[in-house]
Amino acid sequence: MKLNGTKRLTISYLALTAALFALFMLNIFCGSTALSPKDILSTLFSAGNNALAQKIIFGLRLPRAVMVVLLGAALSVAGYLLQTFFANPIAGPFVMGVSGGAKLAVALTMVVLLNHGLFTSSLTLILASFVGAMVAMGFVLAVSQRVKRAGVLVICGVMISYICSAITDFVVTDVVVAFAQDSNIVNLHNWSMGSFSGMTWENVLTAALIVLPCLALSFMLSKPMAAYQMGEAYAQSVGVSVRPFSVTLVLLSSLLAACVTAFAGPISFVGIAVPHLVKRTLRSAKPLHVLPGCVLGGAAFCLLCDLIARSIFAPTELSVSSVTAIFGAPVVILLLVRKQRREAAA
């Protein structure tokens, strides 16, 4: 039976929501410390008096899972906004160097503050991350004014990411050697590899105050975004102020990516792979349809990857960026192959 567009969208959204809920609950139930389902359920519904279960569920697993949902949604939407702005299917925070610039700025800020014995607040790290992201984005935009080929622009973004990552690794490694016993430095090293560990309810609140308004504004821009996808000339003809709109897209995507990097470090391929998987699932490219799918899909994808990263070799955790690369890189390869076929056919 062939489904119409509305039914297909409804079923797809319900499937994504169900997957998100199931993965969220798996992240609560699974961990390096074995807890019985009865203890977990009684703790969640305030009927239990198991102090260990309460500490693990409410102090570790629940804030981490909520944070993964927020940051996964933010990263996916940031990637979709960049793909819309650059009209490039493989644009994303990691590929375009935005995450790399944010990572370098946060690492330098943390190192300077730690060397002076100062406290590194969440807001400080987000501001530093945003500055780094905007510097990297500024360089990419400058290159885009001279280079019109999308492939060359992406290569420049990747090179920026590698340069920033190399400098960050040098700084982090040098500091780890000098302050090997400092737990903050160990956390800095884990963060530089990409990790959702160590999330607190304070982190969740700070991230929510930034991510949720940015997501809401992205939804409000869905109509002009659809016009912008048809070309700048068409967008102007239907009343879209292209210049302010473009600036807003850049700022929103950079702020979302910066928030993710500040808390979890560089997370690769989510911003590229998830929007395309969502579009194929929904069979729609309309921003009004894709944006909710990106929120649900990005959150579910990151929950899955984080669950694998912390469970497969428990109690040792893998870098979540390594897991997202395993799932996301094949999607990017498929996109490149399809793009090449389309260009050859044209």
Side-chain angles (χ1 to χ4, degrees), residues 78-101:
Y80 182 67
L81 295 179
L82 286 176
Q83 289 166 15
T84 300
F85 176 74
F86 287 107
N88 190 328
I90 58 173
F94 190 81
V95 171
M96 302 309 292
V98 177
S99 295

Side-chain angles (χ1 to χ4, degrees), residues 39 46 79 85-86 93 105 155 160 168 181 208 210 258 261 277 297 301 329:
D39 284 339
S46 302
F85 176 74
F86 287 107
I155 291 173
I160 294 170
T168 304
Q181 303 303 317
I210 294 173
T261 306
L277 292 174
F301 183 79

